[in-house]
Amino acid sequence: MALIVQKFGGTSVKNAERLKNVASIIIDEYKKGSKVVAVVSAQGDTTDDLIEKAREINSDPSKREMDQLMTAGEQISAALLAMTIEGMGCPAVSLLGWQAGFETNTAYGSARIKRIDTRRVERELERGGIVVVTGFQGKNRYDDMTTLGRGGSDTSAVALAAALGADRCQIYTDVDGVYTADPRKVPQAKKLSVISYDEMLELASLGAQVLNNRSVEMAKKYNVELEVLSSLERLPGTVVKEVSEVEKLLVSGVTKDCSVAKIAIIGVKDTPGTAFKIFNAIAAKKVVVDVILQSIGRDGTKDIAFTVAASDADAALEAVKTLPDIADKKIECETDIAKVSVVGAGMESHQGIASKVFEALYDENINIRMISTSEIKISVIIDRDRADDAVRAIHDKFEPYE
Ligand code: ADP
Ligand code: ASP
Ligand code: MG
């Protein structure tokens, strides 16, 4: 008997009609004789609405209370989905993260799953019911509820599939697969039938929201093959898996991340240890630095610029401003920028990709502020108001995607 984990995102469960639609997908699988575990997100914009409600009351609420609040969103959708399934004549039970055995570390708001005690879920499956589990949440060692970070229900589903040794893990969403660019922004984007874990991980980390990056990391680690597909249209989706050489595309996607900040320190000493002092202070604040640019030294000084997530900009600024040799230097912080990235496993063995990216930006008269590359991606930092134009222009340059 096959065991299937199916995850449904916020738009897929946003109202009664959508819940019935999701219940029918689950029941179809159940009636084929499979054991089905459904992992659900909060309905529609519930999580954003809860955050907004908190901010109206307290501009800086504690992370623990935020998690107490935000976990409620998934509780509502899980209970409603279980009732919908019952109403359609099949047995179902909903479980909160802790009831389903999700144990996490104590990092409220961005907790990591440490282990899943699957006994309760397995017991419910043995009883013959459909099990509905709240995504995005777990319990820490203080018996407090924690959340896994925005978009974390994908991670819940993959982790549960790995822990249960599921035969399939399906991620149902509001698009019918992973595209070469966000299909809502680039209408010519093409659906990929297959994408490798490494490419998907880069795309997800660089802004393609369709899968949460931690979920892809986990899928790769535990070798869980994922299928991303639409909850609204019954079409084949995109399979995320280990991909062989011959299946590799030159470019598999173009994406943007607008939550980026650039910090530049002008005229620091051109001596050994300067970069170490700066980035050591930033690391002490647990801030992840992304692109780093250092100018050529001139007259004993140089400039160092780097990017961080926009939400970390204040912490990074605070860190550098406390450094004795740096505090008196000119420090600039820009937040009206975006990172546009091109990802493709085939890049490793082809030349000329970077020049095509730069040509596409030149054609659109878009200035490149910073560049960073890895074996399978090229990222550029540009003005935020040109990010969509840049994605489209670069995407056009690499057509066709075959
Ligand atoms: P869910 O609520 O189901 O988790 P999300 O909103 O988190 O769904 O993710 C789905 C969205 O991701 C789509 O509506 C789409 O606009 C966006 N998206 C961004 N990049 C891509 C891409 N490359 N392929 C498919 N969808 C993408
Ligand atoms: N409801 C959570 C969020 O909006 C988790 C998720 O949807 O995956 O981020
Ligand atoms: Mg999501």
Side-chain angles (χ1 to χ4, degrees), residues 7-12 41 154 172-175 177-184 203 207-211 254-255:
K7 180 258 169 180
F8 299 93
T11 18
S12 302
S41 293
D154 296 333
Y172 284 90
T173 181
D174 58 1
V175 278
V178 179
Y179 279 70
T180 48
D182 186 343
R184 299 190 197 285
L203 280 178
Q209 170 197 0
V210 62
L211 278 178
V254 186
T255 187

Side-chain angles (χ1 to χ4, degrees), residues 30 82 85-86 89-93 127-131:
Y30 180 74
I85 296 169
E86 280 175 351
C90 292
V93 59
R127 281 192 189 142
I130 291 164
V131 182

Side-chain angles (χ1 to χ4, degrees), residues 308-324:
V308 294
S311 54
D312 285 336
D314 288 343
L317 275 174
E318 223 175 274
V320 291
K321 283 185 178 163
T322 54
L323 290 170

Side-chain angles (χ1 to χ4, degrees), residues 41-42 47 74 136 150-153:
S41 293
T47 309
E74 272 68 14
F136 182 50
R150 297 305 306 268
S153 298

